[in-house]
Amino acid sequence: ETGVTQSPTHLIKTRGQQVTLRCSSQSGHNTVSWYQQALGQGPQFIFQYYREEENGRGNFPPRFSGLQFPNYSSELNVNALELDDSALYLCASSLGGKNIQYFGAGTRLSVL
Amino acid sequence: RKEVEQDPGPFNVPEGATVAFNCTYSNSASQSFFWYRQDCRKEPKLLMSVYSSGNEDGRFTAQLNRASQYISLLIRDSKLSDSATYLCVVTLGDSWGKFQFGAGTQVVVTP
């Protein structure tokens, strides 16, 4: 086990709704990265948080936003859900941004 | 052109055989390289880091060719449990480690 936990494991939403996904990082890790993995694709980088600050962002629209808390846990928020947002959302924690990342089991989001 | 490209497979491999596959990357500034393994509908798990001199971990051997910008993974004496999707990961040498994933190579080991 990586020690990275995500909640919820599954979620069903309808188009236009908002969703919040949560991630608890491995003990001692100060960096959390979020990824979106569509079926049959590799994970795509959404953004990374390092010590509560956004530390880089991929090619995702502003309706994807995040937070990192003082205990280094993190949230991913997605507003105005679209059908294409249906995917597995993975968070990964690391010690510093450049080091090996350890993944949680993911949240499977279905948008109907 | 994708930043990280992999042959999607599947590679159908008899148990006990050897299989090898590559991953190419487009950014010559890439500095760190990894292979992750992902089982169906599960999270990616680190298989091994890839070093310039090549490295081995049991039945798995990884190689890096910076001149041609590819990394490779070789699996010897394949086991049924090696059936999975193998994800190639590349990071840039900037101040933060954005992981760039390939789409994965599927390996199916058959009895």
mmCIF file of all heavy atoms in Angstrom, chain A residues 1-5 26 102-103 105, chain B residues 43 45:
data_model
loop_
_atom_site.group_PDB
_atom_site.id
_atom_site.type_symbol
_atom_site.label_atom_id
_atom_site.label_comp_id
_atom_site.label_asym_id
_atom_site.label_seq_id
_atom_site.Cartn_x
_atom_site.Cartn_y
_atom_site.Cartn_z
ATOM 1 N N GLU A 1 0.845 -1.199 0.000
ATOM 2 C CA GLU A 1 0.000 0.000 0.000
ATOM 3 C C GLU A 1 0.879 1.247 0.000
ATOM 4 O O GLU A 1 1.917 1.309 0.654
ATOM 5 C CB GLU A 1 -0.906 0.003 1.239
ATOM 6 C CG GLU A 1 -1.933 -1.130 1.272
ATOM 7 C CD GLU A 1 -2.890 -1.081 0.084
ATOM 8 O OE1 GLU A 1 -3.203 0.027 -0.363
ATOM 9 O OE2 GLU A 1 -3.315 -2.146 -0.364
ATOM 10 N N THR A 2 0.429 2.276 -0.740
ATOM 11 C CA THR A 2 1.228 3.496 -0.854
ATOM 12 C C THR A 2 0.981 4.463 0.290
ATOM 13 O O THR A 2 1.733 5.420 0.461
ATOM 14 C CB THR A 2 0.889 4.221 -2.161
ATOM 15 O OG1 THR A 2 -0.494 4.601 -2.144
ATOM 16 C CG2 THR A 2 1.138 3.320 -3.368
ATOM 17 N N GLY A 3 -0.082 4.297 1.033
ATOM 18 C CA GLY A 3 -0.427 5.244 2.081
ATOM 19 C C GLY A 3 -1.138 6.475 1.558
ATOM 20 O O GLY A 3 -1.381 7.415 2.313
ATOM 21 N N VAL A 4 -1.476 6.500 0.288
ATOM 22 C CA VAL A 4 -2.227 7.611 -0.301
ATOM 23 C C VAL A 4 -3.681 7.166 -0.415
ATOM 24 O O VAL A 4 -3.968 6.142 -1.033
ATOM 25 C CB VAL A 4 -1.680 7.977 -1.699
ATOM 26 C CG1 VAL A 4 -2.472 9.141 -2.298
ATOM 27 C CG2 VAL A 4 -0.198 8.313 -1.611
ATOM 28 N N THR A 5 -4.583 7.923 0.194
ATOM 29 C CA THR A 5 -5.993 7.531 0.170
ATOM 30 C C THR A 5 -6.826 8.595 -0.534
ATOM 31 O O THR A 5 -6.571 9.804 -0.372
ATOM 32 C CB THR A 5 -6.529 7.305 1.593
ATOM 33 O OG1 THR A 5 -6.352 8.511 2.351
ATOM 34 C CG2 THR A 5 -5.782 6.182 2.283
ATOM 35 N N GLN A 26 0.735 10.526 1.528
ATOM 36 C CA GLN A 26 1.538 9.644 2.370
ATOM 37 C C GLN A 26 2.208 10.480 3.460
ATOM 38 O O GLN A 26 2.617 11.616 3.220
ATOM 39 C CB GLN A 26 2.590 8.954 1.505
ATOM 40 C CG GLN A 26 3.363 7.859 2.185
ATOM 41 C CD GLN A 26 4.383 7.209 1.253
ATOM 42 O OE1 GLN A 26 5.577 7.345 1.446
ATOM 43 N NE2 GLN A 26 3.905 6.516 0.236
ATOM 44 N N TYR A 102 3.721 8.484 -5.623
ATOM 45 C CA TYR A 102 2.975 7.306 -5.195
ATOM 46 C C TYR A 102 1.488 7.610 -5.312
ATOM 47 O O TYR A 102 1.017 8.617 -4.777
ATOM 48 C CB TYR A 102 3.352 6.941 -3.755
ATOM 49 C CG TYR A 102 4.808 6.573 -3.627
ATOM 50 C CD1 TYR A 102 5.772 7.538 -3.341
ATOM 51 C CD2 TYR A 102 5.233 5.262 -3.837
ATOM 52 C CE1 TYR A 102 7.111 7.204 -3.250
ATOM 53 C CE2 TYR A 102 6.573 4.925 -3.745
ATOM 54 C CZ TYR A 102 7.508 5.905 -3.461
ATOM 55 O OH TYR A 102 8.841 5.565 -3.378
ATOM 56 N N PHE A 103 0.790 6.720 -5.970
ATOM 57 C CA PHE A 103 -0.590 6.992 -6.343
ATOM 58 C C PHE A 103 -1.598 6.385 -5.380
ATOM 59 O O PHE A 103 -1.389 5.292 -4.832
ATOM 60 C CB PHE A 103 -0.865 6.446 -7.747
ATOM 61 C CG PHE A 103 -0.251 7.270 -8.828
ATOM 62 C CD1 PHE A 103 1.081 7.119 -9.156
ATOM 63 C CD2 PHE A 103 -1.010 8.220 -9.492
ATOM 64 C CE1 PHE A 103 1.663 7.898 -10.149
ATOM 65 C CE2 PHE A 103 -0.443 9.008 -10.481
ATOM 66 C CZ PHE A 103 0.895 8.848 -10.814
ATOM 67 N N ALA A 105 -5.671 5.026 -5.015
ATOM 68 C CA ALA A 105 -6.468 4.095 -5.831
ATOM 69 C C ALA A 105 -7.416 4.813 -6.776
ATOM 70 O O ALA A 105 -7.998 4.184 -7.657
ATOM 71 C CB ALA A 105 -7.240 3.143 -4.927
ATOM 72 N N GLU B 43 -4.677 1.711 -9.620
ATOM 73 C CA GLU B 43 -3.757 2.839 -9.732
ATOM 74 C C GLU B 43 -2.406 2.393 -10.272
ATOM 75 O O GLU B 43 -2.001 1.243 -10.113
ATOM 76 C CB GLU B 43 -3.556 3.507 -8.356
ATOM 77 C CG GLU B 43 -2.688 2.731 -7.370
ATOM 78 C CD GLU B 43 -3.467 1.709 -6.582
ATOM 79 O OE1 GLU B 43 -4.542 1.254 -7.021
ATOM 80 O OE2 GLU B 43 -2.969 1.351 -5.487
ATOM 81 N N LYS B 45 1.468 1.761 -10.257
ATOM 82 C CA LYS B 45 2.440 1.466 -9.203
ATOM 83 C C LYS B 45 3.844 1.491 -9.793
ATOM 84 O O LYS B 45 4.066 0.954 -10.878
ATOM 85 C CB LYS B 45 2.141 0.106 -8.569
ATOM 86 C CG LYS B 45 0.827 0.091 -7.811
ATOM 87 C CD LYS B 45 0.586 -1.234 -7.116
ATOM 88 C CE LYS B 45 -0.724 -1.172 -6.336
ATOM 89 N NZ LYS B 45 -1.048 -2.463 -5.692
#
